[in-house]
Coordinates of all heavy atoms in Angstrom, one line a residue:
A1 N -18.9 3.7 1.9 CA -19.2 2.7 0.9 C -18.3 1.5 1.0 O -18.8 0.4 0.8 CB -19.0 3.4 -0.5
V2 N -17.1 1.7 1.4 CA -16.2 0.6 1.6 C -16.7 -0.3 2.7 O -16.7 -1.5 2.6 CB -14.8 1.1 2.0 CG1 -13.9 0.0 2.5 CG2 -14.1 1.8 0.8
S3 N -17.1 0.3 3.8 CA -17.6 -0.4 5.0 C -18.8 -1.2 4.6 O -19.0 -2.4 5.0 CB -17.9 0.5 6.1 OG -16.8 1.2 6.5
S4 N -19.7 -0.6 3.8 CA -20.9 -1.3 3.4 C -20.7 -2.5 2.5 O -21.2 -3.6 2.7 CB -21.9 -0.3 2.7 OG -23.0 -1.0 2.2
L5 N -19.8 -2.4 1.5 CA -19.5 -3.4 0.6 C -18.6 -4.5 1.2 O -18.7 -5.7 0.8 CB -18.9 -2.9 -0.7 CG -18.6 -3.8 -1.8 CD1 -19.9 -4.4 -2.3 CD2 -17.9 -3.1 -3.0
A6 N -17.7 -4.1 2.1 CA -16.7 -5.0 2.5 C -17.3 -6.2 3.3 O -16.7 -7.3 3.4 CB -15.7 -4.3 3.4
A7 N -18.4 -6.0 3.9 CA -19.0 -7.1 4.7 C -19.3 -8.4 3.9 O -19.2 -9.5 4.5 CB -20.3 -6.6 5.4
Q8 N -19.6 -8.2 2.6 CA -20.1 -9.4 1.9 C -19.2 -9.6 0.6 O -19.4 -10.6 -0.1 CB -21.5 -9.3 1.5 CG -22.5 -9.2 2.7 CD -23.9 -8.9 2.3 OE1 -24.2 -8.5 1.2 NE2 -24.8 -9.3 3.1
A9 N -18.3 -8.7 0.3 CA -17.6 -8.8 -1.0 C -16.3 -9.6 -0.9 O -15.8 -9.9 0.2 CB -17.2 -7.4 -1.4
K10 N -15.8 -10.0 -2.1 CA -14.6 -10.7 -2.2 C -13.5 -9.7 -1.9 O -13.5 -8.6 -2.4 CB -14.4 -11.2 -3.6 CG -13.0 -11.8 -3.9 CD -12.9 -12.3 -5.3 CE -11.5 -12.8 -5.6 NZ -11.4 -13.2 -7.1
K11 N -12.5 -10.0 -1.0 CA -11.5 -9.1 -0.6 C -10.1 -9.5 -0.9 O -9.8 -10.7 -1.0 CB -11.6 -9.0 1.0 CG -13.0 -8.7 1.5 CD -13.0 -8.8 3.0 CE -14.4 -8.7 3.6 NZ -15.1 -10.0 3.4
T12 N -9.2 -8.5 -1.2 CA -7.8 -8.8 -1.4 C -7.0 -7.7 -0.6 O -7.5 -6.6 -0.5 CB -7.4 -8.8 -2.9 OG1 -7.7 -7.5 -3.4 CG2 -8.2 -9.9 -3.6
L13 N -5.9 -8.1 -0.1 CA -5.0 -7.1 0.6 C -3.6 -7.4 0.2 O -3.1 -8.6 0.3 CB -5.2 -7.2 2.1 CG -4.3 -6.4 3.0 CD1 -4.5 -4.9 2.7 CD2 -4.5 -6.7 4.4
T14 N -2.8 -6.4 -0.2 CA -1.4 -6.5 -0.5 C -0.6 -5.5 0.3 O -1.0 -4.3 0.3 CB -1.2 -6.3 -2.0 OG1 -2.0 -7.2 -2.7 CG2 0.3 -6.5 -2.4
L15 N 0.5 -5.9 0.9 CA 1.4 -5.0 1.6 C 2.8 -5.0 1.0 O 3.3 -6.1 0.6 CB 1.5 -5.4 3.1 CG 0.2 -5.5 3.9 CD1 0.5 -6.0 5.3 CD2 -0.5 -4.1 3.9
D16 N 3.4 -3.8 0.9 CA 4.7 -3.7 0.3 C 5.7 -3.1 1.3 O 5.3 -2.1 2.0 CB 4.7 -2.8 -0.9 CG 3.9 -3.4 -2.1 OD1 4.1 -4.6 -2.3 OD2 3.2 -2.6 -2.7
F17 N 6.8 -3.7 1.5 CA 7.9 -3.1 2.4 C 9.2 -3.1 1.6 O 9.5 -4.0 0.8 CB 8.1 -4.0 3.6 CG 6.8 -4.4 4.3 CD1 6.1 -5.5 4.0 CD2 6.4 -3.6 5.4 CE1 4.9 -5.8 4.6 CE2 5.2 -3.9 6.1 CZ 4.5 -5.0 5.7
G18 N 9.9 -2.0 1.7 CA 11.2 -2.0 0.9 C 12.1 -0.8 1.2 O 11.8 0.0 2.0
L19 N 13.2 -0.8 0.4 CA 14.1 0.3 0.5 C 13.8 1.2 -0.7 O 13.3 0.8 -1.7 CB 15.6 -0.3 0.3 CG 16.0 -1.2 1.4 CD1 17.4 -1.8 1.1 CD2 16.1 -0.5 2.7
V20 N 14.2 2.5 -0.5 CA 13.9 3.6 -1.5 C 15.2 4.3 -1.8 O 16.0 4.7 -0.9 CB 12.9 4.6 -1.0 CG1 12.6 5.6 -2.0 CG2 11.6 3.8 -0.6
N21 N 15.4 4.5 -3.1 CA 16.5 5.4 -3.5 C 15.9 6.5 -4.4 O 15.2 6.1 -5.4 CB 17.6 4.7 -4.3 CG 18.7 5.6 -4.8 OD1 18.6 6.0 -5.9 ND2 19.7 5.9 -3.9
A22 N 16.0 7.7 -4.2 CA 15.4 8.8 -4.9 C 16.3 9.9 -5.3 O 17.3 10.1 -4.6 CB 14.2 9.4 -4.1
S23 N 16.0 10.6 -6.4 CA 16.8 11.7 -6.8 C 15.8 12.8 -7.4 O 14.8 12.4 -7.9 CB 17.8 11.4 -7.9 OG 17.2 10.9 -9.1
G24 N 16.2 14.0 -7.3 CA 15.3 15.1 -7.7 C 15.2 16.1 -6.6 O 16.3 16.7 -6.2
N25 N 14.0 16.4 -6.1 CA 13.9 17.3 -4.9 C 14.5 16.7 -3.7 O 14.8 17.4 -2.7 CB 12.5 17.7 -4.7 CG 12.0 18.7 -5.8 OD1 12.5 19.8 -6.0 ND2 11.0 18.3 -6.5
S26 N 14.6 15.4 -3.6 CA 15.2 14.7 -2.5 C 16.2 13.7 -3.0 O 16.0 13.0 -4.0 CB 14.1 14.0 -1.7 OG 13.2 14.9 -1.2
D27 N 17.4 13.6 -2.4 CA 18.4 12.6 -2.6 C 18.6 11.8 -1.3 O 19.2 12.4 -0.4 CB 19.7 13.2 -3.1 CG 19.5 13.9 -4.5 OD1 19.3 13.2 -5.5 OD2 19.6 15.1 -4.5
F28 N 18.2 10.6 -1.3 CA 18.2 9.9 0.0 C 18.1 8.4 -0.2 O 17.7 7.9 -1.3 CB 17.1 10.4 0.9 CG 15.7 10.0 0.3 CD1 15.1 8.9 0.7 CD2 15.1 10.9 -0.6 CE1 13.8 8.6 0.2 CE2 13.8 10.6 -1.1 CZ 13.2 9.4 -0.7
T29 N 18.4 7.7 0.8 CA 18.1 6.2 0.9 C 17.2 6.1 2.1 O 17.6 6.5 3.2 CB 19.3 5.4 0.9 OG1 20.1 5.6 -0.3 CG2 19.0 3.9 1.1
S30 N 16.1 5.4 2.0 CA 15.2 5.3 3.1 C 14.3 4.1 3.0 O 14.7 3.1 2.3 CB 14.3 6.6 3.2 OG 13.5 6.6 4.3
V31 N 13.2 4.0 3.7 CA 12.3 2.9 3.7 C 10.9 3.3 3.2 O 10.6 4.5 3.3 CB 12.2 2.2 5.0 CG1 13.5 1.6 5.5 CG2 11.6 3.2 6.1
N32 N 10.1 2.4 2.7 CA 8.8 2.7 2.2 C 7.8 1.7 2.7 O 8.2 0.5 3.0 CB 8.7 2.9 0.7 CG 8.7 1.5 0.0 OD1 9.6 0.8 0.1 ND2 7.6 1.3 -0.7
F33 N 6.5 2.0 2.7 CA 5.5 1.1 3.1 C 4.3 1.4 2.1 O 3.9 2.6 1.9 CB 5.0 1.3 4.5 CG 3.7 0.5 4.8 CD1 3.8 -0.8 5.0 CD2 2.5 1.2 4.9 CE1 2.6 -1.6 5.3 CE2 1.4 0.5 5.2 CZ 1.4 -0.9 5.4
G34 N 3.7 0.4 1.5 CA 2.6 0.5 0.7 C 1.5 -0.5 1.0 O 1.8 -1.6 1.5
E35 N 0.3 -0.1 0.8 CA -0.9 -1.0 1.1 C -2.0 -0.8 0.1 O -2.3 0.3 -0.3 CB -1.4 -0.6 2.5 CG -2.7 -1.3 2.9 CD -3.9 -0.5 2.6 OE1 -3.8 0.7 2.5 OE2 -5.0 -1.1 2.6
K36 N -2.5 -1.9 -0.4 CA -3.6 -1.9 -1.4 C -4.6 -2.9 -0.9 O -4.3 -4.1 -0.6 CB -3.1 -2.3 -2.8 CG -2.0 -1.4 -3.3 CD -1.5 -1.9 -4.7 CE -0.5 -1.0 -5.3 NZ 0.0 -1.5 -6.6
A37 N -5.9 -2.5 -0.9 CA -7.0 -3.3 -0.6 C -8.1 -3.1 -1.6 O -8.3 -2.0 -2.1 CB -7.5 -3.0 0.8
S38 N -8.8 -4.2 -1.9 CA -9.9 -4.1 -2.8 C -11.1 -5.0 -2.4 O -10.8 -6.1 -1.7 CB -9.5 -4.5 -4.2 OG -9.0 -5.8 -4.3
W39 N -12.3 -4.7 -2.8 CA -13.5 -5.4 -2.5 C -14.3 -5.5 -3.8 O -14.4 -4.5 -4.5 CB -14.3 -4.8 -1.5 CG -13.7 -4.7 -0.1 CD1 -13.8 -5.5 0.9 CD2 -12.8 -3.6 0.3 NE1 -13.1 -5.1 2.0 CE2 -12.4 -3.9 1.7 CE3 -12.3 -2.5 -0.3 CZ2 -11.6 -3.1 2.4 CZ3 -11.4 -1.7 0.4 CH2 -11.1 -2.0 1.8

């Protein structure tokens, strides 16, 4: 469905890059990557 609609629809794309600090089941400092796309 994405492929069908993407050809003619209005598109947006957002990318996230950053540092991560977490506590709980994991205690660490690391990196993260996120991606969001919409049509």
Side-chain angles (χ1 to χ4, degrees):
V2 170
S3 299
S4 176
L5 185 60
Q8 300 176 338
K10 176 184 176 182
K11 312 174 186 68
T12 62
L13 174 64
T14 303
L15 301 179
D16 295 317
F17 309 88
L19 298 176
V20 180
N21 178 267
S23 63
N25 287 302
S26 300
D27 293 293
F28 64 93
T29 299
S30 186
V31 297
N32 79 295
F33 170 76
E35 174 265 340
K36 298 179 181 179
S38 64
W39 299 262

